Amino acid sequence: QVHLVESGGGLVQAGGSLRLSCAASGSTFSINAFGWYRQAPGKQRELVAAIGSSGSTNYADSVKGRFTISRDNAKNTVYLQMNSLKPEDTAVYYCQVVGGPNFGSWGQGAQVTVSS
């Protein structure tokens, strides 16, 4: 099973930026698609960004134009660059395999807090 470890969360003022990293274990990294999910207290978990094995990307409307997902196959790492952050972006962010058979174990997530 793929194991995932998120890092890079923190507290930032509205309008600021953060970069999250997801380190993935296993030998199937290059053929996996990955997504970033987030969950705020009292809300459903939502998929905010995804990247395919080819590098194609998809974004939720709520983050489109502000967030960028990328991957570095040599480092087995997925990134989420978050710009123009808003208070409503405050959540715990999780990385996960998507769209394939190698769904991994959930990590601890990265807490992102955006102050107004």
Side-chain angles (χ1 to χ4, degrees):
Q1 188 179 35
V2 175
H3 295 273
L4 304 151
V5 180
E6 300 90 349
S7 62
L11 191 152
V12 65
Q13 192 175 33
S17 298
L18 284 173
R19 183 181 183 239
L20 304 182
S21 297
C22 170
S25 68
S27 61
T28 60
F29 183 90
S30 64
I31 63 171
N32 290 333
F34 289 90
W36 282 97
Y37 294 81
R38 69 184 182 188
Q39 187 164 29
K43 292 190 174 183
Q44 298 274 38
R45 185 186 66 199
E46 63 172 333
L47 180 66
V48 298
I51 185 165
S53 59
S54 67
S56 61
T57 58
N58 289 284
Y59 300 93
D61 287 343
S62 58
V63 308
K64 193 172 297 181
R66 300 187 297 117
F67 290 11
T68 302
I69 188 171
S70 61
R71 64 192 294 160
D72 186 337
N73 290 346
K75 296 182 178 180
N76 279 23
T77 302
V78 183
Y79 304 96
L80 185 68
Q81 178 67 45
M82 304 182 292
N83 298 326
S84 302
L85 283 162
K86 305 174 180 180
E88 51 263 45
D89 295 319
T90 295
V92 179
Y93 285 71
Y94 300 91
C95 183
Q96 185 55 267
V97 178
V98 298
N102 297 314
F103 193 87
S105 60
W106 292 99
Q108 294 295 310
Q111 176 69 54
V112 172
T113 303
V114 184
S115 62
S116 59

